[in-house]
Amino acid sequence: MKALHRIIDHARAQPRRIVLCEADDVRVLQAAQRAAREGIARILLVGRPDVACRTALQAGVPLDGIELVDPATSPLAPALAAELHALRAARGMTAEQAQAAVLDPLCFANLMVRAGHADGSVAGALHTTADVVRTALQVIGAAPGCRLVSSFFLMMLCEPFHALKGGLIFSDCGLVVDPDAQGLSEIAMAAADSAAGLLMEEPRVAMLSFSTSGSARHAAVDKVVAATERVRALRPELAIDGDVQLDAAIVAEIAQRKVAHSRVGGHANVLVFPSLEAGNIGYKLAERLGGAKAIGPLLQGLAKPANDLSRGCSAEDIFHVIAVTVVQAQRADAARTPAADATATAAPAP
């Protein structure tokens, strides 16, 4: 799994502080211990220390190198409660409600990321996707200029029987149900950035449809075409095909016959699905019938990294999501270069 190994190696080269909030789950403890032992992240574990220690002891998982954080006794709690109150007061949250909310490990963990005490959050082994995403949106929020937070899966095809080898980005497979053309274009651009950051190669985007180059006429096809045109206008440097059927997206010989003037050429590494229904079915087909390894759902478009897990995940899955979250945090840090900060400071007021 060369792409996955690259992600782990990059994480190890510059570890970041990753906060986990499901301290009573053995899989989370196993992944946390491995991440700390292999040096890919500095792990902060939010929850009741007595429960975490008891669970770890019963499972034979050492907690060496892992910092335990108890929301009930943490010196950070008052400031985080004040931060949450300021953030949500306009929505009716009182100071007392904020003080109670920070006792929830999921909320506390995301507040740590927002306040800079951690660089990224991973949750979802016990929490639902709805809870994980809602808390991330409410506490961390969208990145500046981001119109839509969406999700993606990192799909690894590395088995001997895979004709197509390497990593692919599938988006959106877990969050936005039925994006319009503008939303679909935002998903495509975010997924391209995710590919650049995690696959560490130039993104080649396929806007999937049941039509290729106008072979069918339907409002669903029109949406994909309009989304593709918007991406081309905003990101002219990006290689993108759309509307395109799956075979023309990933098989060069078919692309040569069906897609004129293609810059992707049947070598897409980003597959953008027209709806959540198609994306969710697509990634599960690739995973269950095609033998691909699915890592995610991962979130894109947040101000700072916060990622979800499947509740059926393994300790290895969690370890991989921790590594991805570290690399996302590295990219977020790199985006804030001194030059960029200086330019922003020197810019005239509107």
Side-chain angles (χ1 to χ4, degrees), residues 253-344:
E253 294 80 3
I254 295 176
Q256 289 172 3
R257 294 197 301 267
K258 299 176 71 172
V259 187
H261 311 297
S262 171
R263 292 175 58 190
V264 175
H267 298 289
N269 55 11
V270 178
L271 302 183
V272 178
F273 293 84
S275 69
L276 182 64
E277 183 176 43
N280 193 267
I281 292 169
Y283 103 79
K284 289 186 176 179
L285 277 172
E287 180 184 29
R288 300 300 179 181
L289 294 184
K293 184 173 185 60
I295 301 172
L298 307 166
L299 300 181
Q300 53 193 10
L302 291 169
K304 295 183 179 181
N307 284 316
D308 189 22
L309 299 164
S310 165
R311 280 177 286 171
C313 63
S314 66
E316 183 179 50
D317 295 332
I318 301 171
F319 173 80
H320 290 151
V321 174
I322 291 171
V324 166
T325 308
V326 170
V327 174
Q328 288 177 321
Q330 291 170 350
R331 262 181 87 79
D333 289 345
R336 289 187 52 80
T337 62
D341 288 347
T343 301

Side-chain angles (χ1 to χ4, degrees), residues 11-57:
R12 186 178 292 112
Q14 294 182 316
R16 293 294 189 270
R17 300 162 299 172
I18 303 301
V19 60
L20 310 176
C21 66
E22 293 158 323
D24 52 343
D25 189 287
V26 172
R27 299 166 298 171
V28 172
L29 298 181
Q30 291 169 334
Q33 195 276 332
R34 181 182 173 189
R37 184 182 73 246
E38 297 191 14
I40 70 163
R42 298 192 290 274
I43 298 295
L44 306 165
L45 189 60
V46 174
R48 288 178 50 186
D50 59 329
V51 174
C53 291
R54 183 170 63 248
T55 305
L57 182 62

Side-chain angles (χ1 to χ4, degrees), residues 150 152 169-171 184-207 231 235 237-240 269-272 300 331:
S150 57
F152 68 97
I169 298 293
F170 281 25
S171 190
L184 194 61
S185 69
E186 295 291 331
I187 291 169
M189 290 184 285
D193 292 338
S194 294
L198 295 174
L199 300 180
M200 302 169 200
E201 57 189 45
E202 287 296 318
R204 300 177 298 278
V205 182
M207 305 291 283
V231 174
R235 301 274 292 271
E237 80 288 353
L238 186 63
I240 183 170
N269 55 11
V270 178
L271 302 183
V272 178
Q300 53 193 10
R331 262 181 87 79

Side-chain angles (χ1 to χ4, degrees), residues 168-243:
L168 295 172
I169 298 293
F170 281 25
S171 190
D172 183 346
C173 306
L175 190 56
V176 184
V177 176
D178 187 19
D180 60 14
Q182 178 173 315
L184 194 61
S185 69
E186 295 291 331
I187 291 169
M189 290 184 285
D193 292 338
S194 294
L198 295 174
L199 300 180
M200 302 169 200
E201 57 189 45
E202 287 296 318
R204 300 177 298 278
V205 182
M207 305 291 283
L208 298 181
S209 176
F210 58 85
S211 166
T212 296
S213 301
S215 62
R217 295 187 178 278
H218 191 275
V221 178
D222 295 340
K223 178 179 81 169
V224 175
V225 171
T228 305
E229 291 174 350
R230 184 171 186 267
V231 174
R232 285 176 175 152
L234 294 174
R235 301 274 292 271
E237 80 288 353
L238 186 63
I240 183 170
D241 284 347
D243 54 313

Side-chain angles (χ1 to χ4, degrees), residues 49-131:
D50 59 329
V51 174
C53 291
R54 183 170 63 248
T55 305
L57 182 62
Q58 291 171 347
V61 179
L63 296 181
D64 302 335
I66 296 172
E67 181 180 344
L68 300 178
V69 182
D70 185 353
T73 61
S74 171
L76 299 177
L80 294 184
E83 177 89 6
L84 181 61
H85 180 231
L87 182 65
R88 303 292 296 170
R91 299 295 183 100
M93 177 175 279
T94 66
E96 292 75 17
Q97 289 171 331
Q99 291 165 6
V102 298
L103 297 177
D104 172 36
L106 179 60
C107 181
F108 194 97
N110 280 270
L111 282 165
M112 289 185 72
V113 175
R114 178 181 177 86
H117 302 296
D119 301 301
S121 171
V122 174
L126 297 175
H127 292 86
T128 66
T129 291
D131 286 339

